[in-house]
Amino acid sequence: MRNDSLNIARLRAEFPECPIDYYATIDSTMHAAARLPRGSVVLADEQTGGLGRHGHSWHSEPGNGIYCSLVLDPSPVLTLALGLATAEAIARSTGIACDLRWPNDVMLDNKKLAGILVQLVDENAIAGIGINVNQPSLPAELEAMSLRMHAGREFPREEILVALLRSVPAFLAEDTETILRLFTHASSYAAGRRVVVHQPEGVVEGITVGLNAAGFLIVRKDDGTDTLILAGGVRAAGS
Ligand code: BTN
C-alpha cells in the first residue's frame, strides 16, 4: 500500500542552500540529475524505471522507498564514502546499525537494504541512492530487506533524508585514507570474510584480506594468491 508523499517543504526548509527537485513519479532520478548542476538533489516518490548496478533494475514502488540522486564532484573513493554516509544516516535517524558489503551495498540481516549507483556524466558524478524503508514486503528474488520488515514499524523517510543530506558532505570531506579506515571498520566484508565473487573472467572464491590504497578489495584464494576485485559481484560464501 502506498504511503504519504514525501514532505518536500520540510526538506527544503532544512537545506535552504540546496536545490531539491521533486517528482511524484519519474523514470529514474539518475536521468533528471544528469541535466542539473553540481550540488543539485533529485528525489522521487516512485520510479518507473529505477536503475541498479550492473544493468539491473531497482525496485521503486510508490511511497515506501527513498529514491535520491545527487550531483557531486567525482573523487577517488566516492563509492565507499557514499556507502558509509548512507549507513551513518540510517543509524542516526533510526538507530539501526547496518553492514556494508564492498563496495557500497548497505546490508541488514544479511540482505540488501540500500544500493548506490554512481555514473559519471560530463564533469560530474551522479550518485543514486535507493533505500528500502517502509515496504511491508519485497519480492523474494531480490533477497532484499526494508527497515519496516526488520523493525516491524514504519519510519519517516524525511528523517532519513535529512540525515543523508548531512552525512554525504561530511564523508565527502574526509580524505582517502580516512575513508578506507572507516570502511574497513564498518564492513564485515572488508577483511576475514569468505566470499564468492562473480567476474566476467570467472568466479573467484577466497577470504577477504583488506582494501588496497585505491579502495579495491583483495581476496586471498585457497592457493594463497591474491586477486584484486575491481567491481562488485561480491557475495558471502554459502549465501
Ligand atoms: C544497486 O544496484 O545497488 C544500486 C541501486 C541504486 C538505486 C537508486 S534509487 C535512486 C537512483 N535512481 C535510480 O534509478 N537508481 C538509483
Side-chain angles (χ1 to χ4, degrees), residues 27-31 42 47 49-54 56-60 66-69 104-105 112 114-118 127-131:
D27 52 356
S28 165
T29 57
M30 300 302 283
H31 297 150
V42 180
Q47 295 184 120
L51 303 170
R53 296 172 67 228
H54 305 299
H56 293 288
S57 57
W58 184 255
H59 180 87
S60 305
I66 285 177
Y67 315 115
C68 171
S69 289
N104 56 18
D105 289 335
K112 191 151 155 174
I116 295 162
L117 172 69
V118 178
I129 302 175
I131 307 176

Side-chain angles (χ1 to χ4, degrees), residues 17-96:
E17 307 299 320
C18 176
I20 301 177
D21 283 11
Y22 165 73
Y23 296 84
T25 183
I26 192 172
D27 52 356
S28 165
T29 57
M30 300 302 283
H31 297 150
R35 301 187 288 266
L36 295 173
R38 200 169 284 174
S40 304
V41 174
V42 180
L43 298 172
D45 260 314
E46 172 185 26
Q47 295 184 120
T48 54
L51 303 170
R53 296 172 67 228
H54 305 299
H56 293 288
S57 57
W58 184 255
H59 180 87
S60 305
E61 69 185 57
N64 287 330
I66 285 177
Y67 315 115
C68 171
S69 289
L70 305 112
V71 186
L72 303 172
D73 192 3
S75 59
V77 284
L78 180 62
T79 56
L80 302 182
L82 289 168
L84 283 164
T86 304
E88 160 94 357
I90 291 166
R92 275 189 189 269
S93 56
T94 69
I96 295 173

Side-chain angles (χ1 to χ4, degrees), residues 93-113:
S93 56
T94 69
I96 295 173
C98 298
D99 193 7
L100 288 168
R101 180 173 65 186
W102 189 90
N104 56 18
D105 289 335
V106 180
M107 308 293 289
L108 185 58
D109 301 336
N110 290 315
K111 293 186 170 173
K112 191 151 155 174
L113 178 76

